[in-house]
Amino acid sequence: MKIKILQAPAPELPFVVIYKPKALASAPIKEADKDNAFSQAAAIFPQLLEVQGRKAIEHGLLHRLDTATDGILLIAASQDFYDYMLCEQEEGRFIKYYKACCKAETDNCRELGGFPEERACLSDWLPNPPAPKAFFHPVKITSYFRSYGKGGKEVRPVTEKSGPAALKKLGKLKLYTTQVCGVKKLEDFFEVECKISQGFRHQVRCHLAWAGLPIINDPLYNAKSLGTQEELRFSASAIEFQNPVDKKILRFSI
């Protein structure tokens, strides 16, 4: 599993854009770990190791993708660019796009959603999200998030209408929004395009499941895909941000 270089660093472009394939981690877990997207990029462009990031081991990696997700990653090649992009992220000006293949479980998906365990009682702990038929127009899905399950490996959306137990488990009182930009009906599934400006772990996967459109082969947020070994039908398809050098809006996509 090898990355593809979509944009090499240059004086006027102080960053690297790569394509990460599925089943490859975004970042190292420990210093000696080389089987990940960032380490592969740093082997080609050693200057990436000179950038100091929030996590020392990740250097200038500006965001991550789940190992099961393929798509575009942005890595700073200079400290100035890294610091600039952190501010852009906080201000919601670093836009990430995703494409997912989703399948509604039933016509009654407003009530059922896609979660494996709480499907029968979604109305007791979350407000009803939009039904898929509403997605043919732009829709915003907004919530807080909390960790969920054994070891906190999953997340669940939380709103002001959630129960007291869920509200007490909030890790951070911050709202996150997934905007559904478009939906196409293809045979027996939906092709969904989403975008976010600030992200939480598993945000898009969880929000789509909450809305009754779980991603095909999602082992965490699709009740019919528990234990599956099939590829997750989900990709990070594009990024947009302003280049601090010439102030132009750049877009990289697959």
Side-chain angles (χ1 to χ4, degrees), residues 208-219:
L208 288 177
W210 177 31
L213 283 172
I215 298 172
I216 295 173
N217 298 331
D218 190 332

Side-chain angles (χ1 to χ4, degrees), residues 24-100:
L24 181 68
S26 293
I29 298 176
K30 52 186 179 181
E31 199 67 40
D33 181 14
K34 303 300 180 185
D35 188 21
N36 59 83
F38 173 79
S39 295
Q40 288 187 24
I44 302 170
F45 307 109
Q47 64 266 44
L48 301 183
L49 298 172
E50 298 175 9
V51 180
Q52 296 181 4
R54 287 176 172 172
K55 290 187 176 181
I57 201 169
E58 295 183 4
H59 297 276
L61 185 65
L62 285 155
H63 58 123
R64 286 178 288 175
L65 301 177
D66 300 330
T67 299
T69 303
D70 70 319
I72 292 181
L73 286 173
L74 178 65
I75 308 172
S78 74
Q79 193 65 48
D80 286 346
F81 182 78
Y82 180 81
D83 296 341
Y84 163 80
M85 285 303 300
L86 285 188
C87 294
E88 292 294 280
Q89 284 182 313
E90 289 298 320
E91 295 298 324
R93 292 191 289 265
F94 179 25
I95 310 300
K96 308 173 192 73
Y97 292 83
Y98 299 85
K99 285 189 177 181

Side-chain angles (χ1 to χ4, degrees), residues 76-199:
S78 74
Q79 193 65 48
D80 286 346
F81 182 78
Y82 180 81
D83 296 341
Y84 163 80
M85 285 303 300
L86 285 188
C87 294
E88 292 294 280
Q89 284 182 313
E90 289 298 320
E91 295 298 324
R93 292 191 289 265
F94 179 25
I95 310 300
K96 308 173 192 73
Y97 292 83
Y98 299 85
K99 285 189 177 181
C101 294
C102 305
K103 193 168 183 178
E105 291 184 318
T106 71
D107 294 334
N108 195 28
C109 61
R110 282 179 66 90
E111 286 73 37
L112 294 182
F115 296 104
E117 296 165 11
E118 304 105 330
R119 290 178 296 150
C121 59
L122 269 180
S123 60
D124 294 335
W125 62 282
L126 287 172
N128 283 335
K133 63 184 180 181
F135 281 174
F136 288 92
H137 302 284
V139 172
K140 291 183 178 180
I141 308 170
T142 299
S143 75
Y144 304 105
F145 280 103
R146 67 181 177 95
S147 295
Y148 181 86
K150 186 177 181 180
K153 69 176 184 178
E154 301 176 38
V155 299
R156 290 292 187 271
V158 178
T159 75
E160 289 84 355
K161 295 182 180 180
S162 298
L167 289 168
K168 287 181 180 179
K169 296 177 181 178
L170 281 179
K172 188 176 184 181
L173 193 62
K174 181 176 180 178
L175 287 169
Y176 294 89
T177 296
T178 299
Q179 182 171 341
V180 179
C181 308
V183 175
K184 293 180 182 178
K185 183 70 168 64
L186 299 174
E187 298 179 351
D188 61 344
F189 66 91
F190 295 96
E191 183 182 78
V192 182
E193 182 176 22
C194 303
K195 71 175 182 179
I196 63 174
S197 59
Q198 295 185 352

